[in-house]
Amino acid sequence: MALLYEMVWRFLHALLYVQRTLVAWFRVHIWRWKRAVVGLLLPLALGFHNPKKTGPIGKRTSRRIRFGAEGRTLEKLPLHVGLLITEEEIHFTDIANLVVWCMAVGISYVSVYDNQGVFRRNNSRLMEEILKQQQELLGMDSSKYSVEFMKNGTDKQEHQVLSCQSMVKVLSPDDGRLSIVQAAQQLCRDVEQREKTSKDINVTVLDSLLRESKNIPDPDLVLKFGPVESTLGFLPWHIRLTEIISMPSHVDVSYDDLFGALQRYAVCEQRLGK
């Protein structure tokens, strides 16, 4: 009888896994299908009222103007945005586009995170892709939206393009829970060596150990891409007051998708524990 129960349990568990996989697949593909239909029908709905054609240069210029103008229309703009990728397949170009768009609307800090550490291992590839998309999306104005890549554990730059206005930091699980463990171990050593007493340990002391740089604020907004309902260890200490917005996928994500999330953040009421 016990063997029968175990077989039934395993069968139900397999069905649950299949169900979750199918739901995730349909979410992503239905979202892409909706976007494709909107892109096809929108020009028809507008009635082609502007027959004047604009070349690639004109389109890029209008987009650059749109970035800055729309950023100024928001009631509040996050200072630090985290990009949390929960999907197994990662597209560097789409992530680079998100980073450049964040820079263009006026966001000063962008953190990029995945649970497998793909970005950390391919840091230089991400940098190259961001620089490439910078030139592609911003053109001659790219110098106005230059980016600085931050090394983990220091305040020093890893790569800089002209004058810095935005900072990008690549994160992995080592920057999350492991940092809390290491901070706790450091406090234990301080008590053991009588450099501190147990009464000296409080939230402020722990907070100072966990912060690599006083110049980088906590994320105001985290955009989570993918069907996984988890932050997967993304800076658990630093996102206590962070607004988290879920999006179906980072693949083929558009500027309108990003700006829609920024609009949701701008009107959300943050009670900050009250």
Side-chain angles (χ1 to χ4, degrees):
M1 185 62 69
L3 180 61
L4 178 61
Y5 285 152
E6 182 179 357
M7 292 178 61
V8 172
W9 182 87
R10 289 181 180 274
F11 177 72
L12 293 175
H13 183 74
L15 285 179
L16 179 61
Y17 177 81
V18 171
Q19 186 263 346
R20 288 180 175 176
T21 303
L22 289 175
V23 168
W25 187 88
F26 278 114
R27 278 182 180 175
V28 173
H29 285 76
I30 289 177
W31 177 65
R32 294 178 185 171
W33 178 80
K34 286 182 177 178
R35 283 180 50 197
V37 171
V38 170
L40 179 64
L41 297 181
L42 185 58
L44 298 176
L46 295 176
F48 298 99
H49 65 278
N50 185 13
K52 183 179 180 180
K53 294 184 179 181
T54 58
I57 296 178
K59 290 182 179 180
R60 288 198 295 267
T61 303
S62 63
R63 282 185 302 186
R64 293 196 294 271
I65 296 174
R66 177 187 178 190
F67 293 154
E70 289 190 337
R72 290 189 292 271
T73 64
L74 296 174
E75 184 176 340
K76 61 179 179 179
L77 190 68
L79 183 63
H80 182 177
V81 169
L83 305 178
L84 168 60
I85 314 302
T86 67
E87 300 164 278
E88 292 185 2
E89 184 179 358
I90 292 177
H91 291 218
F92 281 79
T93 300
D94 292 312
I95 297 301
N97 286 338
L98 285 166
V99 171
V100 174
W101 290 330
C102 285
M103 294 160 49
V105 298
I107 295 169
S108 300
Y109 303 91
V110 181
S111 296
V112 182
Y113 176 93
D114 73 287
N115 188 48
Q116 303 300 322
V118 175
F119 293 122
R120 177 69 65 81
R121 293 192 300 271
N122 299 276
N123 196 17
S124 59
R125 177 182 174 186
L126 178 61
M127 291 179 185
E128 292 173 0
E129 195 63 42
I130 290 175
L131 298 181
K132 176 182 176 182
Q133 295 307 312
Q134 229 183 327
Q135 294 293 329
E136 175 67 24
L137 298 174
L138 303 179
M140 295 297 294
D141 289 343
S142 61
S143 61
K144 299 179 182 179
Y145 302 99
S146 52
V147 59
E148 181 178 347
F149 296 89
M150 301 296 295
K151 287 184 178 180
N152 293 64
T154 69
D155 294 336
K156 297 181 179 179
Q157 66 197 39
E158 184 167 335
H159 187 75
Q160 185 174 355
V161 186
L162 302 178
S163 59
C164 171
Q165 289 191 346
S166 297
M167 293 185 181
V168 177
K169 189 155 190 176
V170 179
L171 300 172
S172 73
D174 292 341
D175 302 292
R177 295 190 181 122
L178 182 59
S179 296
I180 297 178
V181 173
Q182 292 173 343
Q185 291 173 340
Q186 181 61 48
L187 290 174
C188 291
R189 284 193 294 267
D190 291 344
V191 172
E192 184 180 11
Q193 297 171 5
R194 298 185 179 181
E195 296 178 5
K196 286 184 175 67
T197 66
S198 58
K199 295 181 180 180
D200 296 328
I201 300 176
N202 52 41
V203 174
T204 303
V205 173
L206 180 60
D207 190 60
S208 65
L209 287 174
L210 286 170
R211 296 186 184 281
E212 298 174 342
S213 171
K214 295 296 183 181
N215 298 322
I216 300 180
D218 291 342
D220 305 292
L221 170 66
V222 167
L223 301 178
K224 184 186 71 65
F225 297 93
V228 179
E229 297 299 329
S230 170
T231 57
L232 299 177
F234 177 82
L235 299 180
W237 181 263
H238 301 77
I239 59 173
R240 294 164 294 169
L241 304 176
T242 300
E243 189 72 19
I244 300 176
I245 295 179
S246 296
M247 303 180 73
S249 176
H250 75 287
V251 179
D252 294 331
V253 68
S254 68
Y255 169 75
D256 290 331
D257 297 327
L258 172 65
F259 190 73
L262 294 177
Q263 288 178 312
R264 288 176 57 186
Y265 170 80
V267 299
C268 73
E269 182 181 359
Q270 294 175 289
R271 298 182 179 273
L272 303 180
K274 298 179 181 180

